[in-house]
Coordinates of all heavy atoms in Angstrom, one line a residue:
M1 N 5.1 0.3 20.6 CA 6.3 0.7 19.8 C 5.7 1.5 18.6 O 4.8 1.1 17.8 CB 6.9 -0.6 19.3 CG 8.0 -0.4 18.6 SD 8.9 -2.0 18.4 CE 8.9 -2.2 16.7
S2 N 6.2 2.7 18.3 CA 5.9 3.5 17.1 C 6.9 3.2 16.0 O 8.1 2.8 16.2 CB 5.8 4.9 17.5 OG 7.1 5.5 17.8
K3 N 6.5 3.4 14.9 CA 7.4 3.4 13.6 C 7.4 4.7 12.9 O 6.5 5.5 12.9 CB 6.7 2.4 12.7 CG 6.6 1.1 13.2 CD 6.0 0.1 12.1 CE 6.1 -1.3 12.7 NZ 5.1 -2.1 12.8
T4 N 8.6 5.0 12.4 CA 8.7 6.3 11.8 C 9.1 5.9 10.2 O 9.8 5.1 9.9 CB 10.0 7.0 12.2 OG1 9.9 7.2 13.6 CG2 10.2 8.3 11.5
F5 N 8.2 6.5 9.3 CA 8.4 6.4 7.9 C 8.8 7.7 7.2 O 8.3 8.7 7.6 CB 7.0 5.9 7.3 CG 6.6 4.7 7.9 CD1 5.5 4.6 8.8 CD2 7.1 3.4 7.5 CE1 4.9 3.4 9.3 CE2 6.6 2.2 7.9 CZ 5.5 2.1 8.8
Y6 N 9.7 7.4 6.3 CA 10.2 8.7 5.5 C 9.8 8.5 4.0 O 10.0 7.5 3.5 CB 11.7 8.8 5.7 CG 12.1 9.0 7.1 CD1 12.6 7.9 7.9 CD2 12.1 10.3 7.7 CE1 13.0 8.1 9.3 CE2 12.5 10.3 8.9 CZ 12.9 9.3 9.7 OH 13.3 9.5 11.1
F7 N 9.4 9.6 3.4 CA 9.1 9.6 2.0 C 10.3 10.4 1.3 O 10.6 11.4 1.7 CB 7.7 10.4 1.8 CG 6.5 9.5 2.3 CD1 5.9 10.0 3.5 CD2 6.1 8.6 1.7 CE1 4.9 9.3 4.0 CE2 5.0 7.8 2.1 CZ 4.4 8.3 3.3
N8 N 10.8 9.8 0.3 CA 11.7 10.5 -0.6 C 11.1 10.8 -1.9 O 11.3 9.8 -2.7 CB 13.1 9.7 -0.5 CG 14.1 10.4 -1.3 OD1 14.0 11.5 -1.9 ND2 15.3 9.8 -1.4
P9 N 10.7 12.0 -2.2 CA 10.1 12.3 -3.4 C 11.1 12.2 -4.6 O 10.7 12.1 -5.8 CB 9.5 13.6 -3.4 CG 10.1 14.2 -2.4 CD 10.7 13.1 -1.3
N10 N 12.4 12.3 -4.4 CA 13.5 12.2 -5.4 C 14.0 10.8 -5.7 O 14.9 10.7 -6.5 CB 14.6 13.2 -5.0 CG 14.1 14.6 -4.8 OD1 13.2 15.1 -5.6 ND2 14.6 15.3 -3.8
S11 N 13.4 9.9 -5.0 CA 14.0 8.5 -5.3 C 13.6 8.0 -6.6 O 12.5 8.3 -7.2 CB 13.5 7.5 -4.1 OG 12.1 7.4 -4.2
V12 N 14.4 7.1 -7.1 CA 14.1 6.5 -8.5 C 13.2 5.2 -8.2 O 13.6 4.5 -7.3 CB 15.4 6.1 -9.2 CG1 15.2 5.3 -10.4 CG2 16.3 7.4 -9.4
E13 N 12.3 5.1 -8.9 CA 11.4 3.9 -8.7 C 11.9 2.7 -9.4 O 12.3 2.7 -10.6 CB 10.0 4.3 -9.3 CG 8.9 3.3 -9.0 CD 7.5 3.8 -9.4 OE1 6.9 4.5 -8.6 OE2 7.1 3.4 -10.6
S14 N 11.9 1.6 -8.6 CA 12.4 0.3 -9.2 C 11.4 -0.3 -10.1 O 10.2 0.0 -10.0 CB 12.8 -0.6 -8.0 OG 11.6 -1.1 -7.4
P15 N 11.9 -1.3 -10.9 CA 11.1 -2.0 -11.7 C 9.9 -2.8 -10.8 O 8.8 -2.8 -11.4 CB 11.9 -2.8 -12.5 CG 13.2 -2.3 -12.5 CD 13.3 -1.5 -11.3
L16 N 10.3 -3.1 -9.7 CA 9.5 -4.0 -8.9 C 8.4 -3.0 -8.5 O 7.1 -3.4 -8.5 CB 10.2 -4.5 -7.7 CG 9.5 -5.5 -6.8 CD1 9.0 -6.6 -7.6 CD2 10.4 -5.8 -5.6
A17 N 8.6 -1.9 -8.1 CA 7.6 -0.9 -7.7 C 6.8 -0.4 -8.8 O 5.6 -0.2 -8.6 CB 8.3 0.4 -7.1
Q18 N 7.2 -0.4 -10.1 CA 6.3 -0.1 -11.2 C 5.4 -1.2 -11.5 O 4.4 -1.2 -12.2 CB 7.2 0.0 -12.4 CG 8.1 1.2 -12.3 CD 8.9 1.4 -13.6 OE1 9.0 0.7 -14.4 NE2 9.9 2.5 -13.6
S19 N 5.5 -2.4 -10.9 CA 4.5 -3.6 -10.9 C 3.3 -3.4 -10.1 O 2.5 -4.2 -10.1 CB 5.3 -4.8 -10.6 OG 6.4 -5.1 -11.5
L20 N 3.4 -2.5 -9.2 CA 2.2 -2.1 -8.2 C 1.4 -1.0 -8.7 O 1.9 0.1 -8.9 CB 2.9 -1.9 -6.9 CG 1.9 -1.5 -5.8 CD1 1.1 -2.9 -5.4 CD2 2.7 -1.1 -4.6
S21 N 0.1 -1.2 -8.8 CA -0.9 -0.2 -9.2 C -1.8 0.0 -8.0 O -2.4 -0.9 -7.4 CB -1.7 -0.5 -10.3 OG -0.8 -0.7 -11.6
L22 N -2.1 1.3 -7.6 CA -3.0 1.5 -6.4 C -3.8 2.5 -6.9 O -3.4 3.7 -7.3 CB -2.0 2.0 -5.3 CG -2.5 2.5 -4.1 CD1 -3.2 1.4 -3.4 CD2 -1.5 3.0 -3.2
F23 N -5.1 2.3 -6.7 CA -6.1 3.3 -7.3 C -7.5 3.2 -6.5 O -7.6 2.0 -5.9 CB -6.3 3.3 -8.6 CG -6.6 1.9 -9.3 CD1 -7.9 1.5 -9.4 CD2 -5.6 0.9 -9.5 CE1 -8.2 0.3 -9.9 CE2 -5.9 -0.3 -10.1 CZ -7.2 -0.6 -10.3
P24 N -8.4 4.1 -6.5 CA -8.2 5.4 -6.9 C -7.4 6.3 -5.9 O -7.3 5.8 -4.7 CB -9.6 6.1 -6.9 CG -10.3 5.2 -5.8 CD -9.7 3.9 -5.9
Q25 N -6.9 7.4 -6.2 CA -6.2 8.2 -5.3 C -6.7 9.7 -5.5 O -6.7 10.2 -6.6 CB -4.6 8.3 -5.7 CG -3.9 7.1 -5.3 CD -3.5 7.1 -3.9 OE1 -3.9 7.9 -3.1 NE2 -2.6 6.3 -3.7
P26 N -7.5 10.3 -4.5 CA -7.7 9.7 -3.2 C -8.8 8.6 -3.4 O -9.6 8.6 -4.1 CB -8.1 10.9 -2.4 CG -8.9 11.9 -3.4 CD -8.0 11.6 -4.6
A27 N -8.8 7.7 -2.3 CA -9.7 6.7 -2.2 C -10.8 7.1 -1.2 O -10.6 7.8 -0.2 CB -9.0 5.4 -1.7
Q28 N -12.1 6.4 -1.4 CA -13.2 6.7 -0.6 C -13.6 5.6 0.3 O -13.7 5.5 1.4 CB -14.2 7.5 -1.4 CG -15.0 8.4 -0.4 CD -15.9 9.2 -1.2 OE1 -16.2 9.1 -2.4 NE2 -16.4 10.3 -0.6
N29 N -14.2 4.5 -0.5 CA -14.8 3.4 0.0 C -13.9 2.2 0.1 O -14.1 1.3 0.9 CB -16.2 3.1 -0.5 CG -17.1 4.2 -0.4 OD1 -17.3 4.8 0.6 ND2 -17.8 4.6 -1.6
Q30 N -13.1 2.1 -0.9 CA -12.1 0.9 -1.1 C -10.9 1.4 -2.0 O -10.9 2.3 -2.7 CB -12.9 -0.2 -1.8 CG -13.5 0.1 -3.1 CD -14.5 -1.0 -3.5 OE1 -15.0 -1.8 -2.8 NE2 -15.1 -0.8 -4.7
I31 N -9.9 0.5 -1.8 CA -8.6 0.7 -2.5 C -8.5 -0.6 -3.4 O -8.6 -1.6 -2.8 CB -7.5 0.8 -1.5 CG1 -7.6 2.0 -0.6 CG2 -6.2 0.9 -2.3 CD1 -6.6 1.9 0.5
F32 N -8.1 -0.3 -4.5 CA -7.7 -1.4 -5.5 C -6.3 -1.5 -5.6 O -5.6 -0.5 -5.8 CB -8.4 -1.2 -6.9 CG -9.9 -1.3 -6.8 CD1 -10.6 -0.1 -6.6 CD2 -10.6 -2.4 -7.0 CE1 -11.9 -0.1 -6.7 CE2 -12.0 -2.5 -6.9 CZ -12.7 -1.3 -6.8
I33 N -5.8 -2.7 -5.4 CA -4.2 -2.8 -5.5 C -4.1 -4.0 -6.5 O -4.5 -5.2 -6.3 CB -3.7 -3.3 -4.2 CG1 -4.0 -2.1 -3.1 CG2 -2.3 -3.5 -4.3 CD1 -3.7 -2.6 -1.7
K34 N -3.2 -3.6 -7.6 CA -2.9 -4.6 -8.7 C -1.5 -4.9 -8.7 O -0.7 -3.9 -8.7 CB -3.5 -4.0 -10.1 CG -3.4 -5.0 -11.1 CD -4.1 -4.4 -12.4 CE -3.9 -5.4 -13.5 NZ -4.4 -4.9 -14.8
W35 N -1.2 -6.2 -8.7 CA 0.1 -6.6 -8.6 C 0.5 -7.4 -9.9 O -0.1 -8.4 -10.2 CB 0.3 -7.5 -7.4 CG 1.7 -7.9 -7.2 CD1 2.0 -9.3 -7.0 CD2 2.9 -7.3 -7.1 NE1 3.4 -9.4 -6.7 CE2 3.9 -8.2 -6.8 CE3 3.2 -5.8 -7.1 CZ2 5.2 -7.8 -6.7 CZ3 4.6 -5.5 -6.9 CH2 5.5 -6.5 -6.7
S36 N 1.4 -6.8 -10.7 CA 1.7 -7.6 -12.1 C 3.0 -8.2 -12.1 O 3.5 -8.4 -13.1 CB 1.5 -6.5 -13.1 OG 2.5 -5.4 -13.0
Y37 N 3.7 -8.3 -10.9 CA 5.0 -9.0 -10.8 C 4.8 -10.5 -10.5 O 3.8 -11.0 -10.1 CB 5.8 -8.4 -9.7 CG 7.3 -8.7 -9.6 CD1 8.2 -8.3 -10.6 CD2 7.7 -9.5 -8.6 CE1 9.4 -8.7 -10.6 CE2 9.0 -9.9 -8.5 CZ 9.9 -9.5 -9.6 OH 11.2 -9.9 -9.4
E38 N 5.8 -11.3 -10.8 CA 5.8 -12.7 -10.6 C 5.9 -13.2 -9.1 O 5.5 -14.3 -8.7 CB 6.9 -13.4 -11.3 CG 6.6 -13.2 -12.8 CD 8.0 -12.9 -13.6 OE1 9.1 -13.1 -13.0 OE2 7.9 -12.6 -14.7
G39 N 6.4 -12.4 -8.1 CA 6.7 -12.8 -6.9 C 5.4 -12.5 -6.0 O 4.5 -11.7 -6.3
I40 N 5.3 -13.2 -4.8 CA 4.3 -13.1 -3.9 C 4.6 -11.9 -2.9 O 5.7 -11.9 -2.5 CB 4.1 -14.3 -3.1 CG1 3.6 -15.5 -4.0 CG2 3.1 -14.1 -2.0 CD1 3.5 -16.8 -3.4
G41 N 3.7 -11.0 -2.6 CA 4.0 -9.9 -1.9 C 3.3 -9.9 -0.5 O 2.2 -10.4 -0.4
Q42 N 3.9 -9.4 0.7 CA 3.3 -9.2 1.9 C 3.0 -7.7 2.0 O 3.8 -6.9 1.9 CB 4.3 -9.8 3.0 CG 4.5 -11.2 2.8 CD 3.4 -12.0 3.0 OE1 2.4 -11.9 3.7 NE2 3.3 -13.0 2.0
L43 N 1.7 -7.4 2.1 CA 1.3 -6.0 2.0 C 0.7 -5.7 3.4 O -0.1 -6.3 4.0 CB 0.2 -6.1 0.9 CG -0.7 -4.8 0.9 CD1 0.1 -3.8 0.0 CD2 -1.9 -5.2 0.0
K44 N 1.1 -4.4 3.8 CA 0.6 -3.7 5.1 C 0.3 -2.4 4.8 O 1.0 -1.8 4.0 CB 1.6 -4.0 6.3 CG 1.8 -5.3 6.5 CD 2.8 -5.5 7.7 CE 3.1 -6.9 8.1 NZ 4.0 -7.0 9.2
I45 N -0.8 -1.8 5.4 CA -1.0 -0.5 5.4 C -1.1 0.2 6.7 O -1.7 -0.5 7.7 CB -2.4 -0.2 4.6 CG1 -2.4 -0.8 3.3 CG2 -2.7 1.4 4.6 CD1 -3.6 -0.6 2.4
Y46 N -0.4 1.2 6.9 CA -0.2 1.8 8.2 C -0.8 3.3 8.2 O -0.9 3.9 7.1 CB 1.2 2.2 8.6 CG 2.0 0.7 8.8 CD1 2.6 0.3 7.7 CD2 2.1 0.1 10.0 CE1 3.4 -0.9 7.8 CE2 2.8 -1.0 10.1 CZ 3.4 -1.4 9.0 OH 4.1 -2.7 9.1
N47 N -1.4 3.7 9.3 CA -1.9 5.2 9.4 C -0.8 6.0 9.8 O 0.3 5.6 9.9 CB -3.1 5.2 10.4 CG -2.8 4.9 11.8 OD1 -1.6 4.9 12.2 ND2 -3.8 4.7 12.6
A48 N -1.2 7.3 9.9 CA -0.1 8.3 10.2 C 0.6 8.1 11.5 O 1.7 8.6 11.8 CB -0.7 9.7 10.1
L49 N -0.2 7.4 12.5 CA 0.5 7.1 13.8 C 1.4 5.8 13.9 O 1.9 5.4 14.8 CB -0.6 7.0 14.8 CG -1.4 8.2 15.0 CD1 -2.6 7.9 16.0 CD2 -0.7 9.3 15.5
G50 N 1.5 5.1 12.7 CA 2.3 4.0 12.5 C 1.5 2.6 12.9 O 2.1 1.7 12.9
Q51 N 0.2 2.8 13.1 CA -0.6 1.6 13.4 C -0.9 0.9 12.2 O -1.4 1.4 11.2 CB -1.9 2.1 14.2 CG -1.6 2.9 15.4 CD -2.9 3.6 16.0 OE1 -3.7 4.1 15.2 NE2 -3.1 3.6 17.2
E52 N -0.9 -0.5 12.3 CA -1.1 -1.3 11.1 C -2.6 -1.3 11.0 O -3.4 -1.7 11.9 CB -0.6 -2.8 11.3 CG -0.8 -3.7 10.2 CD -0.1 -4.9 10.3 OE1 1.0 -4.9 10.7 OE2 -0.9 -6.0 10.4
M53 N -3.1 -0.9 9.8 CA -4.6 -1.0 9.5 C -5.0 -2.3 8.9 O -6.2 -2.7 9.1 CB -4.9 0.2 8.6 CG -4.6 1.5 9.1 SD -5.4 1.8 10.7 CE -7.1 2.1 10.2
T54 N -4.2 -3.0 7.9 CA -4.5 -4.2 7.4 C -3.2 -4.9 7.0 O -2.2 -4.3 6.8 CB -5.5 -3.9 6.2 OG1 -5.9 -5.3 5.8 CG2 -4.8 -3.2 5.0
Q55 N -3.5 -6.2 6.8 CA -2.3 -6.9 6.3 C -2.8 -8.0 5.3 O -3.9 -8.6 5.5 CB -1.7 -7.7 7.5 CG -0.5 -8.6 7.2 CD 0.1 -9.3 8.4 OE1 0.0 -8.7 9.5 NE2 0.7 -10.4 8.3
N56 N -2.1 -8.2 4.2 CA -2.6 -9.2 3.1 C -1.4 -9.7 2.5 O -0.4 -9.2 2.4 CB -3.4 -8.4 2.1 CG -4.8 -7.9 2.6 OD1 -5.8 -8.9 2.6 ND2 -5.0 -6.8 3.0
T57 N -1.8 -10.9 1.8 CA -0.8 -11.5 0.9 C -1.4 -11.3 -0.5 O -2.5 -11.4 -0.7 CB -0.6 -13.0 1.1 OG1 -0.1 -13.2 2.5 CG2 0.4 -13.6 0.1
I58 N -0.5 -10.8 -1.5 CA -0.9 -10.6 -2.8 C -0.1 -11.5 -3.7 O 1.1 -11.5 -3.5 CB -0.9 -9.1 -3.2 CG1 -1.6 -8.8 -4.5 CG2 0.5 -8.6 -3.2 CD1 -1.9 -7.3 -4.8
F59 N -0.8 -12.2 -4.6 CA -0.2 -13.0 -5.5 C 0.0 -12.6 -6.8 O -0.6 -11.6 -7.2 CB -1.0 -14.5 -5.5 CG -1.1 -15.2 -4.2 CD1 -2.2 -14.9 -3.4 CD2 -0.1 -16.0 -3.9 CE1 -2.2 -15.6 -2.0 CE2 -0.2 -16.6 -2.7 CZ -1.3 -16.4 -1.8
P60 N 0.9 -13.2 -7.7 CA 1.1 -12.7 -9.0 C -0.1 -12.4 -9.8 O -1.0 -13.4 -9.7 CB 2.0 -13.8 -9.6 CG 2.8 -14.3 -8.5 CD 1.7 -14.4 -7.5
Q61 N -0.2 -11.3 -10.4 CA -1.3 -11.0 -11.4 C -2.6 -10.9 -10.6 O -3.8 -11.1 -11.2 CB -1.4 -12.0 -12.6 CG -0.1 -12.2 -13.3 CD 0.6 -11.0 -13.9 OE1 -0.2 -10.1 -14.5 NE2 1.9 -10.8 -13.8
E62 N -2.6 -10.6 -9.4 CA -3.8 -10.5 -8.6 C -4.3 -9.0 -8.5 O -3.4 -8.2 -8.4 CB -3.6 -11.1 -7.3 CG -4.8 -11.2 -6.3 CD -4.5 -11.8 -5.0 OE1 -3.4 -12.2 -4.7 OE2 -5.6 -12.2 -4.3
Q63 N -5.5 -8.7 -8.2 CA -6.1 -7.4 -7.9 C -6.7 -7.7 -6.5 O -7.7 -8.5 -6.3 CB -7.0 -6.8 -8.9 CG -7.6 -5.6 -8.4 CD -8.2 -4.9 -9.5 OE1 -7.6 -4.7 -10.7 NE2 -9.4 -4.5 -9.4
K64 N -6.3 -7.0 -5.5 CA -6.9 -7.0 -4.2 C -7.8 -5.7 -4.0 O -7.6 -4.6 -4.5 CB -6.0 -6.8 -3.0 CG -5.2 -8.2 -2.9 CD -5.7 -9.0 -1.8 CE -4.9 -10.1 -1.5 NZ -5.5 -11.3 -0.9
V65 N -9.0 -5.9 -3.3 CA -9.9 -4.8 -2.9 C -9.8 -4.7 -1.4 O -10.1 -5.7 -0.7 CB -11.4 -5.0 -3.5 CG1 -12.2 -3.9 -3.1 CG2 -11.3 -5.3 -5.0
I66 N -9.4 -3.5 -0.9 CA -9.4 -3.3 0.5 C -10.4 -2.4 1.0 O -10.5 -1.2 0.5 CB -8.0 -2.8 0.8 CG1 -6.8 -3.5 0.2 CG2 -7.9 -2.6 2.4 CD1 -6.3 -4.7 1.1
P67 N -11.4 -2.9 1.8 CA -12.5 -1.9 2.2 C -11.9 -0.9 3.2 O -11.2 -1.3 4.1 CB -13.5 -2.9 2.8 CG -12.8 -4.1 3.2 CD -11.6 -4.2 2.2
I68 N -12.2 0.4 3.0 CA -11.7 1.5 4.0 C -12.9 2.3 4.5 O -12.5 3.3 4.9 CB -10.7 2.2 3.2 CG1 -11.3 2.9 2.0 CG2 -9.5 1.4 2.9 CD1 -10.3 4.0 1.4
N69 N -14.1 1.7 4.4 CA -15.3 2.5 4.9 C -15.1 3.2 6.3 O -15.6 4.3 6.4 CB -16.5 1.7 4.9 CG -16.9 1.3 3.4 OD1 -16.5 1.9 2.5 ND2 -17.6 0.2 3.3
D70 N -14.5 2.4 7.2 CA -14.3 2.9 8.5 C -13.1 3.7 8.8 O -12.7 3.9 10.1 CB -14.6 1.8 9.5 CG -13.7 0.6 9.4 OD1 -13.0 0.5 8.2 OD2 -13.6 -0.2 10.3
W71 N -12.3 3.8 7.9 CA -11.0 4.5 8.0 C -11.2 6.0 8.0 O -12.0 6.5 7.2 CB -10.0 4.1 7.0 CG -9.4 2.8 7.0 CD1 -10.0 1.7 7.8 CD2 -8.3 2.2 6.4 NE1 -9.5 0.5 7.5 CE2 -8.4 0.7 6.6 CE3 -7.4 2.6 5.6 CZ2 -7.5 -0.1 6.1 CZ3 -6.4 1.8 5.1 CH2 -6.4 0.4 5.3
Q72 N -10.4 6.8 8.7 CA -10.5 8.3 8.7 C -9.8 8.9 7.5 O -8.8 8.3 6.9 CB -10.0 8.9 10.1 CG -10.8 8.5 11.1 CD -10.5 9.2 12.3 OE1 -9.7 10.1 12.4 NE2 -11.2 8.9 13.5
S73 N -10.2 10.1 7.2 CA -9.4 10.7 6.0 C -8.1 11.0 6.4 O -7.8 11.2 7.6 CB -10.2 12.1 5.7 OG -11.4 11.8 5.2
G74 N -7.1 10.9 5.5 CA -5.7 11.2 5.8 C -4.8 10.5 4.8 O -5.2 9.9 3.9
I75 N -3.5 10.5 5.3 CA -2.4 9.9 4.4 C -2.0 8.6 5.2 O -1.7 8.5 6.3 CB -1.3 10.7 4.2 CG1 -1.6 12.1 3.6 CG2 -0.1 10.1 3.5 CD1 -0.5 13.2 3.5
Y76 N -2.0 7.5 4.4 CA -1.7 6.2 5.0 C -0.4 5.8 4.1 O -0.2 6.3 3.0 CB -2.7 5.2 4.7 CG -4.0 5.5 5.6 CD1 -4.7 6.6 5.4 CD2 -4.2 4.8 6.8 CE1 -5.8 6.8 6.2 CE2 -5.2 5.1 7.6 CZ -6.1 6.1 7.3 OH -7.2 6.5 8.2
L77 N 0.3 4.7 4.6 CA 1.4 4.2 3.9 C 1.3 2.8 3.7 O 1.1 2.0 4.5 CB 2.7 4.4 4.9 CG 4.0 4.0 4.3 CD1 4.4 4.7 2.9 CD2 5.1 4.0 5.1
L78 N 1.3 2.4 2.4 CA 1.3 1.1 2.0 C 2.8 0.6 2.0 O 3.6 1.2 1.3 CB 0.7 0.9 0.6 CG 0.6 -0.5 0.0 CD1 -0.7 -0.7 -0.8 CD2 1.9 -0.8 -0.8
V79 N 3.0 -0.6 2.6 CA 4.4 -1.1 2.7 C 4.2 -2.5 2.1 O 3.4 -3.4 2.8 CB 5.0 -1.1 4.0 CG1 6.4 -1.7 4.0 CG2 5.1 0.3 4.6
M80 N 5.0 -2.9 1.1 CA 4.9 -4.3 0.6 C 6.3 -4.8 0.4 O 7.3 -4.2 0.0 CB 4.2 -4.2 -0.8 CG 3.9 -5.5 -1.3 SD 2.7 -5.4 -2.7 CE 3.5 -6.2 -4.0
E81 N 6.6 -6.0 1.0 CA 7.8 -6.7 1.0 C 7.7 -7.9 -0.2 O 6.8 -8.7 -0.1 CB 8.2 -7.3 2.2 CG 9.5 -8.0 2.2 CD 10.1 -8.4 3.5 OE1 9.4 -8.1 4.6 OE2 11.1 -9.2 3.6
V82 N 8.6 -7.9 -1.1 CA 8.6 -8.9 -2.2 C 10.1 -9.2 -2.3 O 11.0 -8.3 -2.7 CB 8.1 -8.4 -3.5 CG1 8.1 -9.4 -4.5 CG2 6.7 -7.9 -3.3
S83 N 10.5 -10.6 -2.2 CA 11.8 -11.0 -2.4 C 12.9 -10.2 -1.8 O 13.9 -9.9 -2.3 CB 12.1 -11.1 -4.1 OG 11.1 -11.8 -4.6
G84 N 12.5 -9.8 -0.6 CA 13.5 -9.0 0.3 C 13.6 -7.5 0.0 O 14.3 -6.8 0.6
E85 N 12.7 -7.0 -1.1 CA 12.8 -5.6 -1.4 C 11.5 -5.1 -0.8 O 10.5 -5.7 -0.8 CB 12.8 -5.4 -3.0 CG 12.9 -4.1 -3.3 CD 13.0 -3.8 -4.8 OE1 13.6 -4.8 -5.5 OE2 12.9 -2.8 -5.3
I86 N 11.6 -3.8 -0.5 CA 10.6 -3.2 0.2 C 10.0 -2.0 -0.8 O 10.7 -1.2 -1.3 CB 10.8 -2.4 1.6 CG1 11.4 -3.4 2.5 CG2 9.6 -1.7 2.0 CD1 10.5 -4.5 3.1
I87 N 8.7 -2.0 -1.0 CA 8.0 -1.0 -1.9 C 7.2 -0.1 -1.0 O 6.5 -0.7 0.0 CB 7.1 -1.6 -2.9 CG1 7.9 -2.6 -3.8 CG2 6.3 -0.5 -3.7 CD1 7.0 -3.4 -4.7
R88 N 7.2 1.2 -1.0 CA 6.4 2.0 -0.2 C 5.6 3.0 -1.2 O 6.2 3.6 -2.0 CB 7.2 2.9 0.7 CG 7.9 2.1 1.8 CD 9.0 3.0 2.7 NE 9.7 2.2 3.6 CZ 10.8 1.5 3.3 NH1 11.3 1.6 2.1 NH2 11.4 0.9 4.2
E89 N 4.3 3.1 -0.8 CA 3.4 3.9 -1.7 C 2.5 4.7 -0.7 O 2.0 4.2 0.3 CB 2.6 3.2 -2.6 CG 3.4 2.4 -3.8 CD 3.9 3.6 -4.7 OE1 3.3 4.6 -4.9 OE2 4.8 3.2 -5.4
K90 N 2.3 6.0 -0.9 CA 1.3 6.8 -0.2 C 0.0 6.5 -0.7 O -0.2 6.3 -1.8 CB 1.7 8.2 -0.4 CG 0.9 9.2 0.4 CD 1.5 10.7 0.3 CE 1.8 11.0 -1.1 NZ 2.1 12.5 -1.3
V91 N -0.9 6.5 0.3 CA -2.4 6.2 0.1 C -3.1 7.4 0.6 O -3.0 7.6 1.9 CB -2.8 4.9 0.7 CG1 -4.3 4.8 0.4 CG2 -2.1 3.7 0.2
L92 N -3.9 8.0 -0.2 CA -4.7 9.2 0.2 C -6.2 8.7 0.4 O -6.8 8.1 -0.5 CB -4.7 10.3 -0.8 CG -3.3 10.8 -1.1 CD1 -3.3 12.0 -2.2 CD2 -2.7 11.6 0.1
I93 N -6.7 9.1 1.6 CA -8.2 8.6 1.8 C -8.9 9.9 2.1 O -8.5 10.7 2.9 CB -8.3 7.6 2.9 CG1 -7.6 6.3 2.6 CG2 -9.7 7.5 3.5 CD1 -7.5 5.3 3.6
R94 N -10.0 10.0 1.5 CA -10.9 11.3 1.7 C -12.3 10.7 2.0 O -13.0 10.2 1.1 CB -10.9 12.2 0.5 CG -11.7 13.5 0.7 CD -11.4 14.5 -0.4 NE -10.1 14.8 -0.5 CZ -9.5 15.1 -1.6 NH1 -10.4 15.1 -2.7 NH2 -8.3 15.4 -1.8
Q95 N -12.7 10.8 3.2 CA -14.1 10.3 3.5 C -15.2 11.4 3.5 O -14.8 12.5 3.8 CB -14.1 9.4 4.8 CG -13.2 8.3 4.8 CD -13.6 7.1 4.0 OE1 -14.3 7.3 3.0 NE2 -13.1 5.9 4.3

């Protein structure tokens, strides 16, 4: 089953989305994800084919480190669900 994701560069960023920091961009060996909101988030990262690369739970005021050494260069999509709201962020990887 494939998934289709759409990016809307003109969308207004919600306060919830502003609580998510993702760096560095582009990433090379690892991605740092910092979550400064009070809710618990379910985090997934997909490759360009819609395949799930990783899945994590992120807690309030937590910073996660995701190793990406074996991922190929490209654009990935981070999808995080918190309190019924979905946050989507583009992740650039350059190996």
Side-chain angles (χ1 to χ4, degrees):
M1 181 168 125
S2 67
K3 296 181 172 121
T4 303
F5 298 106
Y6 299 96
F7 294 100
N8 182 357
N10 299 322
S11 65
V12 176
E13 192 172 271
S14 74
L16 190 61
Q18 293 175 2
S19 300
L20 179 68
S21 299
L22 174 66
F23 54 94
Q25 289 273 18
Q28 199 165 23
N29 298 315
Q30 55 196 7
I31 302 168
F32 295 90
I33 301 169
K34 187 173 182 182
W35 180 236
S36 60
Y37 188 71
E38 293 141 10
I40 297 172
Q42 298 301 316
L43 171 75
K44 295 179 181 181
I45 299 178
Y46 297 93
N47 66 14
L49 299 175
Q51 298 167 322
E52 185 178 304
M53 301 299 292
T54 189
Q55 177 178 332
N56 284 279
T57 300
I58 191 163
F59 294 94
Q61 308 304 320
E62 183 179 15
Q63 179 171 304
K64 287 270 189 202
V65 178
I66 311 273
I68 58 168
N69 295 338
D70 57 343
W71 296 13
Q72 295 189 7
S73 294
I75 299 174
Y76 292 74
L77 181 65
L78 179 147
V79 178
M80 190 159 122
E81 183 175 350
V82 181
S83 304
E85 187 170 339
I86 304 290
I87 302 168
R88 292 175 185 86
E89 291 288 334
K90 183 171 46 172
V91 180
L92 302 173
I93 296 179
R94 186 174 301 146
Q95 299 291 23

